[in-house]
Amino acid sequence: MYREFGIPARIAKPKTREELEALIEKYNGKKSCYTSVYAFDDDKGYESAYINTIWFDFDHKRDIDKCLKDVRKFYKRYCKPNNITPRIYLTGGKGFQMNIDFYSFLDIPPSMKRKALKEYLMHLKKKYFLSTLDERCINNSVSCMRRIPNTHYVSNLTGESTGIWCTQFSVKDMLRLSIEEMYAIAQDGPNEIIEIERSKRAQRDMLDFICDLYSVSHTVSNSADYLYRQLYKASETETSSYPTEGNFTLDLEKLDNVVERSGKIIARCPACAERGRDSQGNHLVIFDNGAYSCIVGDANHRKEIYRLARKALNTSKE
């Protein structure tokens, strides 16, 4: 089992806490450090995600106060009435991250995971009018990458640390502190990690939503195990369309002119370069879910890119 590590492009698949910490030590302060929200089984792709949390990314390019208002609104209208204690993080940039942690793994069929996460987050976004909840992250669902707590925020423009750390805040502090006060605390990082509080209610709410999504009848008296079995029966006719082939396999160190641009990587296409093309170094695009493409869009060209720039799977660069 592994998680993905990115800067933000996915460059490694650490299998242990020690491997992840070694990567953080190597890149922290030099690159923004990310890890996948979920862990995955070796060589089984994103559909093997272990879903034990649901992750929210609140982001606004100009006004982070709007993000804080959405975080507070969602807490007051959903979390507090249901006795749910979320994890809340100031990213260090113009946004917040939030996790609501489940009591145990959500044991739904692999073919349902991507759709279930995407549809549930969109449901919450619309129901609670969360305008800053990032739909790009929602669309990536199981493959999402999050900033690692207690790591530096590195500017995309300058390539240097801003001096702000990705910092966790308690619910109490989130409700009472101003943005300015939060940033002041985030400058003094690293800060204390707050213990996770897991929720049976949050897990059941999402399970009930998934049952509705797949037309599985349920009542409050149905056990979770029973509903999981019914979902697996329903999944026998469900076909996943999630592109596991895009799972990040390119080695950035084998590419030229690598540039990070708002959730994707631009680089010189190695297959084009071998033919003396792509002199401007911008034919290749690597998306934040790991998929890649060139302006030359045929399958043989993709295979050539993979041959020239692939990296070993499930290995760290340490």
Side-chain angles (χ1 to χ4, degrees), residues 95-107:
F96 286 85
Q97 297 176 159
M98 175 191 288
N99 282 76
I100 291 178
D101 299 290
F102 298 152
Y103 183 76
S104 60
F105 291 111
L106 196 68
D107 186 19

Side-chain angles (χ1 to χ4, degrees), residues 54-56 58 71 74 79 86-88 96-100:
I54 186 164
W55 179 75
F56 304 78
F58 297 90
V71 172
F74 185 59
C79 297
R87 289 184 281 142
I88 300 162
F96 286 85
Q97 297 176 159
M98 175 191 288
N99 282 76
I100 291 178

Side-chain angles (χ1 to χ4, degrees), residues 280-293:
Q280 294 185 351
N282 58 8
H283 284 191
L284 181 66
V285 180
I286 305 171
F287 300 97
D288 60 0
N289 69 349
Y292 59 89
S293 66

Side-chain angles (χ1 to χ4, degrees), residues 2-13:
Y2 66 91
R3 289 184 188 269
E4 295 184 312
F5 175 84
I7 56 172
R10 301 157 202 255
I11 63 169
K13 296 181 178 181

